[in-house]
Amino acid sequence: MRILVASHTYIVDINREKFKILANLEPDIEVTIVVPRRWKPGGVQNKIIETQFCQQGSFKVVPVSNFSQNNQGLLTFGTDIIKLLQEFQPQIIQVEQGSKSLAYTQLIILNKLLKLQAKNILFTWWNLSYELKWPISVLENCNLQNTDGIIAGNLDGSKILHQRGYTGMMEVMPQLGVDETLFLPTGKDADLSLKLGIEPTDFVVGFVGRFVEEKGLLTLAESLAGLKKSSWKWLLVGQGKLRAHLEEKCIEWGISDRIIWIESVSHEAIPPYINLMNCLVLPSQTSYKFKTLTTVGWKEQFGHVLIEAMACKIPVIGSDCGEIPHVIGDAGLVFPEGNAAVLRDCLRQLMERRELAADLGDRGYHRAMTNYTNKALAEQLLEFYKKLL
């Protein structure tokens, strides 16, 4: 089985693990990842990345010349992709840029012109309803009409594409799995606890991610402000523009001395911080302030940090925003987004009922190992491909 995957996501090596595993599941599988030769991610890493060719057995990453260096929808590839397609002769062509992307249109057209007869697959995260105007509406319609299978990163995304007229095969699974060799239960690092001023009696509430309004940090702060009689610390790992305002509110609510800020931590360095936590909270809230050329709004598309905490046996609490409840299942606590009182009750339960916390930690670990490791996702993906072929 010859599989070609195109996406800017895989300019980062750690994001390729699922496909490296897939390439070794059966002897006849070959996986080629096409990535933009030059890409500017934006945000924290606001510099152009120049990707390099690499190969490990039947898995390889091939940088291809590209137009647009920082827009997912406008990304397209240069003529060197034609030679690659002719030589590789893929049976599966998977483009992970969404249903409205020009790159997907380009690969669909090349598939036809080169008479490859490959199955066209798209991946999408988008999980809010939207209306499109011409010519984007025509572009998406053409893409969907020529699609053999869709992988949606969340349940809402699959429902939306069904509503938009797609009737073919669809699988719901995240784009990236958790690395269980990196995120694993290790217990609390005593030296790190001492360095951060965490006492053995402190219940450590954790958050990992962007400090932005839609992540619900003000709701979590308000919840913790109502638990001053309990011994807790709030460990925040990440960075973002909300920090200054959040610091002001924590001072106002009298909890600033319990906050621990950790910034600029690489992904590989996060596990020791997660293992310091007694629970991890993802209190995301739907926002309609976010806008692109074709869509308005944001809600949590998956919540990858949840499965990283679950892999460490850390109990999780999440809001009911977007995909969070489906990721957690029965392996954690879920509260209505924006509801500080219910979140406070969830925190109190874990603080006072250590047996519940331990049970949820065990459940979360089992759920992560069963459903969300890169190997589990690679196996799920292979079964999907076999159904299509």
Side-chain angles (χ1 to χ4, degrees):
M1 187 185 299
R2 295 180 302 280
I3 304 157
L4 183 138
V5 180
S7 177
H8 74 286
T9 300
Y10 304 112
I11 60 174
V12 179
D13 184 61
I14 195 171
N15 291 347
R16 304 167 184 167
E17 290 304 313
K18 174 181 67 182
F19 289 110
K20 290 179 184 179
I21 293 170
L22 174 63
N24 290 289
L25 287 180
E26 293 181 3
D28 67 336
I29 297 177
E30 297 178 62
V31 177
T32 293
I33 306 288
V34 171
V35 294
R37 185 168 292 161
R38 291 166 61 84
W39 191 256
K40 187 176 181 180
V44 177
Q45 194 172 1
N46 196 23
K47 62 181 180 179
I48 291 178
I49 294 176
E50 297 199 10
T51 51
Q52 304 296 321
F53 173 87
C54 73
Q55 183 166 6
Q56 299 174 15
S58 60
F59 169 86
K60 61 183 174 183
V61 177
V62 182
V64 173
S65 60
N66 57 291
F67 304 98
S68 179
Q69 295 179 358
N70 62 358
N71 187 295
Q72 299 181 37
L74 298 179
L75 170 67
T76 50
F77 296 103
T79 55
D80 42 338
I81 198 169
I82 296 174
K83 183 180 179 182
L84 173 61
L85 290 167
Q86 288 174 324
E87 291 178 350
F88 187 54
Q89 292 288 308
Q91 296 167 282
I92 296 282
I93 295 176
Q94 180 168 312
V95 183
E96 303 195 356
Q97 302 293 143
S99 63
K100 305 178 287 290
S101 78
L102 287 173
Y104 188 47
T105 307
Q106 181 185 27
L107 269 294
I108 288 172
I109 292 171
L110 290 175
N111 188 8
K112 286 187 176 181
L113 291 177
L114 300 175
K115 299 180 180 179
L116 300 173
Q117 297 184 318
K119 300 295 183 181
N120 295 310
I121 300 175
L122 73 86
F123 175 91
T124 181
W125 277 117
W126 196 255
N127 60 345
L128 280 170
S129 297
Y130 55 92
E131 295 295 329
L132 298 177
K133 296 180 180 180
W134 185 92
I136 306 299
S137 58
V138 176
L139 178 73
E140 187 189 56
N141 285 337
C142 289
N143 284 349
L144 292 180
Q145 287 171 11
N146 289 281
T147 293
D148 298 292
I150 291 177
I151 300 168
N154 47 61
L155 193 60
D156 286 339
S158 68
K159 291 177 180 177
I160 287 168
L161 286 173
H162 281 313
Q163 291 168 4
R164 299 191 69 79
Y166 179 74
T167 58
M169 291 183 61
M170 190 165 335
E171 192 80 1
V172 178
M173 61 183 291
Q175 189 177 31
L176 307 174
V178 63
D179 183 349
E180 73 275 24
T181 66
L182 183 62
F183 292 88
L184 71 166
T186 60
K188 297 192 178 190
D189 184 320
D191 291 336
L192 186 57
S193 292
L194 184 64
K195 177 183 176 183
L196 299 179
I198 296 172
E199 301 293 336
T201 54
D202 286 335
F203 185 95
V204 180
V205 178
F207 172 85
V208 178
R210 296 176 295 127
F211 304 159
V212 290
E213 186 179 342
E214 59 266 28
K215 287 295 182 177
L217 292 171
L218 291 171
T219 299
L220 179 50
E222 184 181 347
S223 299
L224 289 168
L227 294 169
K228 291 179 185 175
K229 293 182 179 179
S230 301
S231 176
W232 56 264
K233 293 284 174 63
W234 185 13
L235 175 60
L236 294 106
V237 182
Q239 56 187 342
K241 60 186 179 181
L242 188 69
R243 173 167 174 170
H245 180 56
L246 187 57
E247 286 181 314
E248 291 175 3
K249 297 302 291 185
C250 288
I251 292 171
E252 178 185 329
W253 289 331
I255 59 172
S256 59
D257 60 331
R258 304 202 195 190
I259 314 302
I260 303 168
W261 303 94
I262 303 295
E263 291 194 358
S264 303
V265 177
S266 68
H267 189 250
E268 295 82 357
I270 287 176
Y273 292 97
I274 289 181
N275 275 290
L276 284 181
M277 300 171 186
N278 292 96
C279 74
L280 179 134
V281 184
L282 186 58
S284 303
Q285 296 175 205
T286 304
S287 170
Y288 289 95
K289 295 181 180 179
F290 175 82
K291 293 183 180 180
T292 70
L293 288 173
T294 59
T295 48
V296 177
W298 177 92
K299 63 179 177 179
E300 192 66 66
Q301 295 175 329
F302 186 76
H304 199 266
V305 69
L306 291 169
I307 61 175
E308 292 174 341
M310 290 156 76
C312 296
K313 286 195 175 183
I314 303 302
V316 295
I317 300 173
S319 71
D320 61 357
C321 178
E323 189 69 2
I324 291 175
H326 304 296
V327 176
I328 292 177
D330 65 351
L333 302 178
V334 177
F335 68 96
E337 61 176 275
N339 193 319
V342 178
L343 173 53
R344 185 180 301 122
D345 182 62
C346 291
L347 289 166
R348 186 180 287 110
Q349 286 185 61
L350 295 186
M351 289 177 181
E352 296 177 355
R353 299 174 56 194
R354 296 302 173 97
E355 75 286 351
L356 172 63
D359 179 54
L360 292 179
D362 288 339
R363 284 198 224 173
Y365 178 79
H366 177 74
R367 185 171 176 80
M369 294 303 104
T370 303
N371 300 299
Y372 296 126
T373 65
N374 286 305
K375 185 173 187 295
L377 296 183
E379 290 172 346
Q380 184 179 351
L381 196 54
L382 180 57
E383 287 305 308
F384 184 58
Y385 291 158
K386 286 180 176 180
K387 290 175 186 176
L388 283 172
L389 294 174

